[in-house]
Amino acid sequence: MKSSTKINPKQAAGELAAQLVKNNMVAGLGTGSTTAYAIKELGKRVASGLKILGVPTSYQSAFLAAENGIQLTTLDEHPVPDIAIDGADQVANFAAIKGGGAAHTREKIVAQSAKKFVVVADESKVAEVLNHPVPLEVLPFARKLVAKQVAELGGKAVVRMGINKDGPVISDNGNFILDADFGEIKDPESLDKELSQCTGIVEHGIFTKVDVVYIGKKDGSVEIMES
Ligand code: 5RP
């Protein structure tokens, strides 16, 4: 019988990025399975004496941080976290698409508030050019109008439906999520600006200001890229 010591690339990236958090820092805690490894690693370090405060980006990260002994705070109390660590659905040239977990609005607020924004992902998320559908958090009242505006920008938006929940996904903020397919996104900055101008979109999942990327590889190594 072979014993498996396979290293999970998401775990490798998440755990290594957690080492960027130093004593007395305030850290933005992203959402998703890769960041979960970072949060659990931070929990272990807290148990060994590290003193930090975490700003959660979702109920998921708040629950996980609390379970792992990480004291939570808010942006009201700590408006400029030292660092934010978060996952991505796709990353290319220090731009990312996020929102696979419907948490991108708070994730973007925390990422933009922080001094440094670190993306953690496995190598399957890396692309030459972004082409993943862009999650849009949308006021339910504006669903049809947003779909029309997305079509005018050359995209096609569909309402994300729940799994183990009938009907649409509802975000932590009480809104719908539309996934908007634009094909290849050659100019993420332009699409960022155009989507930010659409009436009814609370926030979209294009992140154009990534400072550091940790990419976990199948062999257990982690590639670190700094902008
Ligand atoms: C949640 C996100 C996640 O960070 C993104 O979906 C990546 O998730 P995972 O690390 O599970 O692959 O943006 O809204």
Side-chain angles (χ1 to χ4, degrees):
M1 201 174 80
K2 261 192 191 167
S3 72
S4 170
T5 51
K6 237 175 136 184
I7 297 158
N8 178 333
K10 289 186 174 190
Q11 184 172 3
E15 290 183 355
L16 191 63
Q19 310 310 321
L20 294 169
V21 181
K22 309 290 182 208
N23 216 23
N24 298 318
M25 277 191 173
V26 176
L29 306 174
T31 299
S33 56
T34 318
T35 321
Y37 288 113
I39 294 173
K40 287 180 197 160
E41 175 66 14
L42 286 172
K44 283 186 197 154
R45 294 182 59 209
V46 165
S48 307
L50 181 75
K51 288 194 173 29
I52 58 162
L53 293 172
V55 181
T57 53
S58 62
Y59 288 124
Q60 187 218 32
S61 62
F63 290 176
L64 189 64
E67 276 164 26
N68 284 274
I70 299 170
Q71 197 181 329
L72 297 177
T73 185
T74 63
L75 289 179
D76 285 343
E77 286 173 272
H78 294 91
V80 187
D82 298 286
I83 188 168
I85 301 176
D86 208 339
D89 301 305
Q90 198 171 48
V91 58
N93 302 321
F94 299 101
I97 292 178
K98 292 185 45 51
H104 59 276
T105 298
R106 292 188 193 198
E107 291 174 328
K108 193 178 279 186
I109 293 167
V110 172
Q112 284 197 14
S113 300
K115 289 179 195 160
K116 186 186 270 197
F117 177 42
V118 181
V119 161
V120 288
D122 64 39
E123 55 193 330
S124 71
K125 305 290 185 64
V126 180
E128 292 264 314
V129 178
L130 295 175
N131 63 3
H132 192 278
V134 181
L136 311 173
E137 179 159 355
V138 171
L139 291 171
F141 190 71
R143 167 170 75 100
K144 292 277 180 176
L145 177 63
V146 168
K148 181 169 166 264
Q149 293 170 100
V150 166
E152 284 163 5
L153 292 174
K156 183 169 170 26
V158 291
V159 176
R160 192 183 298 176
M161 302 309 269
I163 296 171
N164 297 328
K165 187 247 176 217
D166 293 334
V169 166
I170 306 294
S171 74
D172 287 1
N173 310 307
N175 296 310
F176 287 175
I177 301 295
L178 272 60
D179 290 299
D181 192 348
F182 292 95
E184 285 205 338
I185 303 169
K186 296 206 169 95
D187 187 349
E189 267 99 11
S190 292
L191 189 57
D192 170 8
K193 289 195 185 87
E194 285 169 330
L195 288 172
S196 295
Q197 282 173 3
C198 290
T199 305
I201 296 180
V202 177
E203 194 49 83
H204 64 78
I206 299 178
F207 286 52
T208 54
K209 294 187 192 88
V210 179
D211 297 309
V212 188
V213 182
Y214 275 51
I215 299 296
K217 306 282 179 75
K218 287 197 195 84
D219 64 4
S221 66
V222 177
E223 185 180 352
I224 301 172
M225 291 173 277
E226 301 206 31
S227 69

